[in-house]
């Protein structure tokens, strides 16, 4: 379909698309920004728009579509639109007030803002991890339905954001609801993650820090001092073979009778120095 046929076609009946709610233009490789603009201006109640593989479209067409359909469009498919710059279309995407489905597969997305998308769950982040391997930054403010599975998906699929600041930011916004968290083999987790855990994860009772090589004794101690719901299990106590490991603060265990148990009422926590740096 070429643009030149659109004006004459639409002119024959100015209200021909007035009731149209679903439009698929997948593979319309000759459709330009101007042609799409004419279409969306005639389809004012469009709910679903498929523009996958429309290789001539630029960010201008998305901006125009957002101005015309910002209050009604719910689904937008931009898969493999080769001329679209994913960073340039972000302002336009924010105009879609009712958007529920967005496909950007085939784009090298670097930044994703999902703040206040309160209905998002872990399954959404499985898709993100599979389709956005180059993601460097993600905004997860006020996403209360996420669990540590979401972190796992991002850690495994989006390696560019596998850093201490990213996980700390997630815990700042969602840590209050966490009860179980696995950071197994997330190698860059360090001081910032420990600080956020200590401040925001009071309900956390299960934590896996296996192979987190950047965590210091001080950082781990700060987590234990502040996440008072954490449980030290028999698996941990009896499952290691390091004779030099000592656990401070565990009561009612004859194996550790020789260890002096600190009384927190007598003074600051053993790892209080870390909190003073926050």
């Amino acid at each position: 379909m070429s643009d030149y046929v659109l004006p004459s076609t639409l002119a024959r009946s100015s209200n021909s698309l007035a009731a149209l709610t679903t439009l698929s233009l997948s593979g319309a490789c000759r459709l330009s920004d101007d042609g799409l603009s004419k279409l969306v201006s005639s389809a004012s109640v469009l709910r679903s728009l498929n523009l996958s593989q429309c290789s001539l479209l630029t960010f201008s067409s998305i901006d125009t579509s957002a101005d015309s359909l910002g209050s009604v469009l719910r689904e937008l498919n931009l898969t493999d639109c080769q001329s679209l710059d994913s960073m340039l279309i972000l302002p336009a995407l924010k105009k879609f007030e009712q958007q529920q489905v967005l496909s950007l597969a085939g784009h090298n997305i670097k930044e994703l803002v999902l703040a206040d998308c309160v209905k998002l769950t872990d399954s959404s982040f499985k898709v993100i991890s599979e389709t956005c391997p180059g993601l460097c930054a993600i905004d997860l403010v006020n996403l209360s339905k996420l669990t540590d599975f979401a972190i796992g998906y991002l850690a495994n699929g989006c390696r560019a954001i596998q850093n201490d600041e990213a996980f700390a930011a997630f815990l700042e916004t969602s840590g209050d609801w966490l009860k179980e968290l696995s950071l197994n083999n997330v190698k860059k987790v360090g001081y910032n993650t420990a600080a956020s855990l200590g401040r925001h994860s009071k309900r956390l009772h299960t934590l896996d820090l296996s192979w987190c090589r950047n965590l210091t004794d001080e950082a781990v101690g700060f987590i234990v001092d502040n996440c008072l719901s954490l449980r030290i299990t028999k698996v941990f106590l009896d499952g290691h073979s390091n004779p030099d490991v000592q656990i401070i603060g565990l009561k009612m265990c004859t194996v550790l009778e020789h260890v002096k148990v600190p009384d927190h009422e007598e003074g600051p926590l053993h790892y209080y120095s870390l909190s003073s740096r926050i």
Side-chain angles (χ1 to χ4, degrees):
M1 179 178 65
S2 300
D3 286 353
Y4 72 87
V5 303
L6 289 173
S8 57
T9 301
L10 295 174
R12 293 173 187 172
S13 177
S14 58
N15 296 319
S16 59
L17 304 181
L20 186 66
T21 59
T22 301
L23 177 62
S24 177
L25 298 168
S26 179
C29 58
R30 300 179 66 184
L31 179 67
S32 71
D33 294 338
D34 185 57
L36 181 62
S37 176
K38 290 182 172 63
L39 280 171
V40 298
S41 63
S42 301
S44 58
V45 297
L46 206 59
R47 301 289 189 272
S48 177
L49 179 60
N50 185 353
L51 299 175
S52 61
Q53 299 179 349
C54 292
S55 54
L56 293 182
L57 298 182
T58 71
F59 76 94
S60 176
S61 62
I62 308 305
D63 192 51
T64 300
S65 299
D67 289 337
S68 299
L69 305 172
S71 62
V72 294
L73 195 72
R74 296 181 181 179
E75 299 181 2
L76 179 61
N77 189 338
L78 300 175
T79 298
D80 291 327
C81 292
Q82 300 174 3
S83 298
L84 285 181
D85 187 319
S86 55
M87 293 302 294
L88 293 178
I89 66 175
L90 281 176
L93 293 177
K94 293 180 180 179
K95 298 179 184 178
F96 291 110
E97 301 170 3
Q98 305 298 322
Q99 190 167 63
Q100 299 176 2
V101 179
L102 173 64
S103 175
L104 290 170
H107 294 269
N108 187 21
I109 297 177
K110 299 294 184 182
E111 181 178 343
L112 191 57
V113 179
L114 300 173
D116 297 319
C117 296
V118 295
K119 294 184 179 180
L120 287 181
T121 63
D122 294 335
S123 59
S124 301
F125 288 81
K126 185 177 187 297
V127 176
I128 291 172
S129 69
E130 294 170 348
T131 57
C132 304
L135 196 65
C136 297
I138 185 168
D139 188 341
L140 305 178
V141 171
N142 197 28
L143 304 188
S144 59
K145 291 188 176 182
L146 302 187
T147 72
D148 59 313
F149 283 104
I151 286 289
Y153 292 138
L154 292 176
N156 291 326
C158 303
R159 297 289 177 142
I161 62 171
Q162 188 180 347
N163 57 64
D164 195 24
E165 292 80 6
F167 290 110
F170 170 78
L171 293 167
E172 291 279 345
T173 60
S174 301
D176 291 336
W177 294 279
L178 283 179
K179 294 183 178 180
E180 299 182 19
L181 178 62
S182 174
L183 295 173
N184 191 315
N185 204 34
V186 183
K187 298 178 182 179
K188 295 183 180 180
V189 161
Y191 164 78
N192 293 300
T193 298
S196 290
L197 275 170
R199 289 184 298 183
H200 298 285
S201 302
K202 305 302 182 183
R203 301 181 185 181
L204 191 69
H205 60 68
T206 303
L207 177 63
D208 184 354
L209 297 175
S210 305
W211 305 102
C212 294
R213 299 301 195 188
N214 283 352
L215 282 174
T216 63
D217 292 342
E218 184 183 34
V220 175
F222 181 73
I223 294 172
V224 175
D225 277 342
N226 289 276
C227 298
L228 301 181
S229 296
L230 281 176
R231 304 173 303 193
I232 299 178
T233 65
K234 187 175 179 61
V235 173
F236 173 76
L237 293 175
D238 301 334
H240 67 80
S241 59
N242 187 344
D244 298 323
V245 170
Q246 292 186 352
I247 303 175
I248 300 173
L250 185 66
K251 298 181 179 181
M252 305 302 291
C253 180
T254 57
V255 177
L256 300 173
E257 285 182 345
H258 64 286
V259 177
K260 183 179 184 298
V261 179
D263 186 351
H264 291 168
E265 295 181 357
E266 294 180 356
L269 299 175
H270 183 67
Y271 290 97
Y272 184 79
S273 59
L274 183 63
S275 65
S276 65
R277 292 163 52 191
I278 301 174

